[in-house]
Amino acid sequence: MKGATTLEQDQNACIFGKAGSSFVGVDFSTVTSCQARPTIIDLDQYKANDSAIGRIEYCCRNGTLLPSIQDPSKSKSVFQMIVYKLPPQSQNSTLITPPIDWNLTGTFNSDYKCGQPRLVEPTLYADDSVSQRTESAVMSWQVTCNVTQVPVIPKCCVSFSAYNNQSVVPCSTCACGCTSENSCNKSAEALLIPIELATVPFVNRTTKTLAWAQLNHWPVPKVLPCPDNCGVSVNWHLVSDYTDGWSARMTIFNWQGLQFADWSAAVELGDSVFSGFQKTYSFNYSTPGNNTIFVYGLNQGLSYLNGIYDNYPGIQQSVFSFTLDAQKNNVSLQDFYPKKVFFDGNECAMPDTLPLNNVGRLISSLITVLALPLVVICFGPSGYL
C-alpha cells in the first residue's frame, strides 16, 4: 500500500494461510494484510514524501477530509493498494472484483452508511512521463457513503448567554450521554452558571454554581444534575442589540485532550435574521444555503483548536454582525439564537431554554423604544468570554 496502511499487519495469516501456499517464494514481510476485511487507516502528513509508503498525490491527510468550500485541495484523500489474486480468480486475468462492504469510521465524525461499488467510466490520470498525455485506469468503481439518519448520541453541545443576563444557560444534562455508573441526577435540568464559569471544567464548577443558585433564590435538587459529558461545546453569546442591528459571539471550547486541526463549524438561523448577516471578524465564513453560516479558521495558526491544558479548554471565537430591518422582520427573542449548530460535521445538542431578556426588545413591536445595551466582557486566562 501507499498513502495508507492497515490497522493490523498480521503476516502469520499470510504465511500460514491460503496466500502462503499459493505464492511460494513471496517475501511476505512487505505484505500489509491477508485479512478478508482489513481496517485501513490514513497516514500522517509527514509521510507524504516517504519513498516507500508515500508520494501519492492527495495522500496522507491524517484522517481528515475537509468540505470543499473550506479547502478544495484537502477535500479528497488518495491511497493505492496492490492486491494479489488467489485461486480460482488468479486463473482469469480479466476477472477483477472490487472491495465491497465499505464503512467509514473516525474519532469525531458522524456515522456513515456506504453503498456497494458500482462500475463507472475508467478514471483518467495525468501521465507524468509525457506532457499533456493522460492514461486510463483499466476499470473504475464508485462507492457513495451518506451520513446515517438514525439518531446518535451527540458529541458536542451548545450553551446560550446574553449581554443583558448574568447567567449562562449551559449545555443540557447528559447532552452527550450518561453512563449507568453516574451517581448524579440524569433527569434534572442543568443549573444556570455565572458567566465567569464558562471556561471552567464542569467538575470544578460545583461550589460557585451552588452559591449562584442560592444568591438568586433558585431551587437546587438534592442530587445534582449530571454533566453534559461533551468533549466540545459551543457558546452563542448575544453581544449587542440595537434598533438597526445586533451582534453575537461564537466561542468553541475543546474540553478534551484531542486537538482538532482544520476545524469547522456551522450555525443555522431563522429567516428573519439570516438575511441581515454581514460578516464574522475572526473566522473565515461562507453561506452555503439553508440559512446556514459555515465558519473555519481565519489562517493556518487559527485553524487549530487545541485541547484542554492545565484545566483551561482550547478556544476559538469570533463576533458575528447582523443588520435588522424593523419594518420587514417580526423578530422574537429566539430568533437571535441558532436553530442548529454543527462542529466538524456533527450536529450539537441544543439547550432547552433561552436567557431571559430583561433588557432590550422582546418582539419587534418594542424596537421603536430606545434601548441602552450593556456589553459585559470578562477577561480570563484564555481570552475574553
Side-chain angles (χ1 to χ4, degrees), residues 273-287:
V273 295
F274 175 78
S275 59
F277 171 66
Q278 291 181 307
K279 65 177 181 177
T280 65
Y281 293 86
S282 301
F283 293 160
N284 273 322
Y285 66 90
S286 63
T287 52

Side-chain angles (χ1 to χ4, degrees), residues 142-206:
Q142 180 173 291
V143 177
T144 302
C145 303
N146 292 306
V147 176
T148 58
Q149 300 300 316
V150 179
V152 295
I153 298 176
K155 299 177 182 179
C156 54
C157 61
V158 178
S159 63
F160 289 150
S161 55
Y163 70 90
N164 54 6
N165 196 310
Q166 293 180 312
S167 296
V168 175
V169 176
C171 291
S172 302
T173 302
C174 299
C176 296
C178 281
T179 63
S180 57
E181 291 78 18
N182 291 127
S183 58
C184 48
N185 194 333
K186 302 180 183 65
S187 59
E189 290 187 4
L191 300 178
L192 301 180
I193 61 173
I195 197 166
E196 64 265 22
L197 292 184
T199 58
V200 177
F202 183 90
V203 294
N204 298 332
R205 294 178 183 175
T206 305

Side-chain angles (χ1 to χ4, degrees), residues 245-264:
W246 60 286
S247 62
R249 180 171 60 246
M250 176 191 230
T251 305
I252 305 172
F253 298 96
N254 185 7
W255 302 99
Q256 55 193 351
L258 175 68
Q259 175 181 274
F260 293 93
D262 295 315
W263 63 270
S264 64

Side-chain angles (χ1 to χ4, degrees), residues 62-234:
N62 197 28
T64 300
L65 284 178
L66 301 184
S68 58
I69 59 175
Q70 183 175 353
D71 189 338
S73 68
K74 296 181 180 180
S75 64
K76 55 185 173 181
S77 184
V78 176
F79 64 87
Q80 181 185 86
M81 68 170 76
I82 298 175
V83 182
Y84 286 85
K85 288 184 178 181
L86 293 175
Q89 287 193 340
S90 58
Q91 300 171 4
N92 188 344
S93 61
T94 61
L95 180 60
I96 303 175
T97 304
I100 60 174
D101 296 334
W102 287 79
N103 186 32
L104 290 179
T105 58
T107 304
F108 198 81
N109 61 279
S110 303
D111 292 331
Y112 288 83
K113 184 177 181 179
C114 300
Q116 294 300 334
R118 61 185 183 91
L119 195 64
V120 296
E121 289 292 326
T123 305
L124 298 177
Y125 300 92
D127 189 343
D128 296 334
S129 61
V130 179
S131 176
Q132 298 182 347
R133 189 174 76 175
T134 59
E135 56 181 331
S136 172
V138 176
M139 301 179 78
S140 295
W141 294 266
Q142 180 173 291
V143 177
T144 302
C145 303
N146 292 306
V147 176
T148 58
Q149 300 300 316
V150 179
V152 295
I153 298 176
K155 299 177 182 179
C156 54
C157 61
V158 178
S159 63
F160 289 150
S161 55
Y163 70 90
N164 54 6
N165 196 310
Q166 293 180 312
S167 296
V168 175
V169 176
C171 291
S172 302
T173 302
C174 299
C176 296
C178 281
T179 63
S180 57
E181 291 78 18
N182 291 127
S183 58
C184 48
N185 194 333
K186 302 180 183 65
S187 59
E189 290 187 4
L191 300 178
L192 301 180
I193 61 173
I195 197 166
E196 64 265 22
L197 292 184
T199 58
V200 177
F202 183 90
V203 294
N204 298 332
R205 294 178 183 175
T206 305
T207 301
K208 289 188 176 181
T209 300
L210 292 177
W212 187 247
Q214 183 179 12
L215 180 65
N216 289 278
H217 307 289
W218 295 328
V220 176
K222 291 182 179 180
V223 180
L224 296 180
C226 293
D228 55 69
N229 292 321
C230 297
V232 173
S233 65
V234 179

